[in-house]
Amino acid sequence: MAAWSGKRWVIIGVCGVVALLVIVLVVQFFRDNAPLVGPGSTAPASSTPAATVPSPSPSTAPAPPSSVSPAPASSAPGQSKAAKKLAAMTLAQRVGQVLMVSSPVTGTDENSLYALETLQVGNVFMKGRSMTGKAGIGAEVAAVVAHISGSRSDDVRPFVATDQEGGFVQIMRGPGFDDMPQAIEQGQLSPAALLHDATRWGEQLAAVGVNVNLAPVLDTVPSAEFASLNAPIGSFGREYGYTPADVSSRGLAFAQGMMAAGVEPTIKHFPGLGRVTLNTDVAAGVTDETTVRKDPYIAPFRDAVNAGVPWLMMSNAWYPKIDPNSMAPFSSVIVQDMVRGDLGFTGIIVSDDICDAVQVSEVPLGQRGVDFLAAGGTLALCTNSALLPQMYSGMLQAAQSDPAFAAKIDKAALLVLQAKETKGLIN
């Protein structure tokens, strides 16, 4: 009896050990096959319905909420600063990056503040005239930049542009600024002398915070006799000469001087306004009946592109021998096929003013920015901040309803951000 009892306890002990091992194995099995939730894993989909994305008000002054676009995709390792910023931006901020709005050089007004603060427009054109010199103008530029930078632009600073050609077209004057001669007078200088002078003029702009000059004019006026009939260029002495070669050599010297000073020059007005008689700013139906796609008058633009000039501005005129169906800023033949294709230009394509210009008045205001970017443009310029909300709203609504256009916004915004990264404008 005692022997059997001892054997029984041994058997019970062995069974207990076996049972314990079975339990351990079962627990380990479920632990190893349980779904993971954490870094590198996929959590179960939430049953909470997605929030409805609000649509912008049809008002001409939309105030988009921060949730105006879906959550941006996370940036991949190795992406540039520009790509990471684009991924982090809302759709409202992306639209803001492909717009440039005017602000008075004498101080912001209610409309420009609304565009910069509420609509998150990311670039500004200093408009008007000021004689206050370096100190006064520098203070105004700094004040404008303060309204753009920070959380409104996701710490992306603006391109600050002005028109500083010389002669009748010189926005910034006074102590610290030279009185710049007209381009037709600049054209009498040697390229080396003009390069030297333009570098100094560029340094004066850089000193007040301007980083883009919407100059030089590379339009070729056919002759001195025709100049007085050419309302946008010749009548103001904005041409460097009367042959493409003269325009190219002097215009390029001006552009290179700006670049040497750290200011982005903008060659304009592609494919040329030297042969028209009316001014697109104040007249409609402005048409160049002469210029063709491979025209010799395009040579100055090609030379500047080959020299690395980073900005190009479109003309607002019609060119029926190139594209009979669309004005230049809305023509994919001119913007995409010629500028990107024929010239091989990879920089920023900016429109001329498409808010106040009478030439484009037949196109609904809310459609102009959409048509410009759809044609291949990068940055839409509006020199009337009171009208900017309508253009902005049209672009925002088009991007919300059309994935293909939203992709164009992203492509243009990335190009702007890449240019800003190069200029050190991304924190």
Side-chain angles (χ1 to χ4, degrees):
M1 187 71 176
W4 164 244
S5 178
K7 291 178 181 180
R8 182 179 61 183
W9 286 111
V10 169
I11 293 171
I12 291 172
V14 170
C15 290
V17 170
V18 171
L20 180 60
L21 287 173
V22 170
I23 292 171
V24 169
L25 290 173
V26 170
V27 170
Q28 186 64 41
F29 173 82
F30 282 107
R31 178 180 298 169
D32 291 343
N33 291 276
L36 297 174
V37 179
S41 65
T42 303
S46 169
S47 61
T48 305
T52 302
V53 178
S55 299
S57 165
S59 162
T60 59
S66 59
S67 59
V68 75
S69 67
S74 60
S75 56
Q79 279 188 323
S80 66
K81 285 184 180 181
K84 290 178 181 178
K85 284 296 182 184
L86 180 70
M89 283 182 169
T90 65
L91 181 58
Q93 290 172 319
R94 298 178 193 191
V95 172
Q97 286 298 314
V98 299
L99 284 167
M100 177 176 281
V101 67
S102 65
S103 184
V105 70
T106 52
T108 54
D109 58 19
E110 182 180 359
N111 290 317
S112 59
L113 284 178
Y114 180 81
L116 300 175
E117 294 184 345
T118 303
L119 302 186
Q120 300 173 307
V121 172
N123 309 284
V124 65
F125 168 70
M126 304 305 294
K127 177 184 178 181
R129 295 290 186 273
S130 176
M131 295 291 297
T132 60
K134 178 179 177 181
I137 293 172
E140 294 298 347
V141 171
V144 169
V145 171
H147 287 290
I148 301 175
S149 301
S151 60
R152 293 188 185 94
S153 63
D154 198 24
D155 289 326
V156 176
R157 297 192 295 283
F159 280 123
V160 180
T162 198
D163 260 336
Q164 200 85 338
E165 299 174 15
F168 293 103
V169 186
Q170 182 177 345
I171 288 178
M172 299 180 176
R173 297 177 182 266
F177 291 98
D178 291 353
D179 286 329
M180 299 166 58
Q182 296 172 309
I184 193 63
E185 297 172 5
Q186 296 175 30
Q188 303 305 308
L189 301 172
S190 69
L194 183 52
L195 171 62
H196 179 271
D197 288 349
T199 302
R200 184 176 67 254
W201 299 332
E203 289 169 348
Q204 293 165 1
L205 292 176
V208 297
V210 172
N211 48 34
V212 176
N213 188 7
L214 300 184
V217 168
L218 295 189
D219 309 308
T220 302
V221 177
S223 67
E225 293 73 27
F226 184 72
S228 62
L229 303 177
N230 176 234
I233 309 299
S235 62
F236 294 103
R238 300 170 70 193
E239 72 276 29
Y240 284 99
Y242 303 112
T243 67
D246 285 341
V247 171
S248 182
S249 64
R250 273 55 174 194
L252 185 53
F254 184 99
Q256 290 173 327
M258 288 289 143
M259 288 191 288
V263 174
E264 308 281 76
T266 306
I267 54 176
K268 61 185 184 184
H269 309 79
F270 189 84
L273 285 175
R275 289 162 161 164
V276 302
T277 55
L278 300 177
N279 188 336
T280 57
D281 290 340
V282 295
V286 181
T287 304
D288 178 336
E289 300 281 2
T290 304
T291 300
V292 296
R293 181 161 174 174
K294 301 296 183 180
D295 203 282
Y297 278 30
I298 292 174
F301 295 97
R302 180 178 294 107
D303 292 343
V305 169
N306 290 340
V309 169
W311 287 55
L312 180 148
M313 177 181 282
M314 299 302 303
S315 158
N316 277 339
W318 288 90
Y319 298 86
K321 289 190 175 180
I322 301 175
D323 184 351
N325 301 314
S326 302
M327 288 178 277
F330 311 131
S331 167
S332 62
V333 174
I334 298 177
V335 180
Q336 184 64 41
D337 297 348
M338 290 183 69
V339 178
R340 296 293 189 211
D342 296 350
L343 298 187
F345 182 66
T346 58
I348 291 177
I349 302 175
V350 61
S351 73
D352 201 346
D353 171 49
I354 52 176
C355 275
D356 268 345
V358 175
Q359 171 77 357
V360 298
S361 57
E362 67 179 48
V363 180
L365 189 55
Q367 192 64 31
R368 295 175 198 172
V370 174
D371 289 351
F372 176 63
L373 263 74
T378 311
L379 197 66
L381 171 64
C382 177
T383 64
N384 185 338
S385 55
L387 299 179
L388 185 280
Q390 296 178 59
M391 183 185 295
Y392 174 92
S393 181
M395 296 171 70
L396 185 62
Q397 292 184 51
Q400 289 175 322
S401 61
D402 181 0
F405 183 70
K408 288 183 178 292
I409 290 283
D410 284 355
K411 182 178 181 180
L414 179 59
L415 183 57
V416 172
L417 291 169
Q418 288 170 335
K420 289 184 176 183
E421 181 179 356
T422 300
K423 291 290 292 181
L425 298 176
I426 296 180
N427 290 344

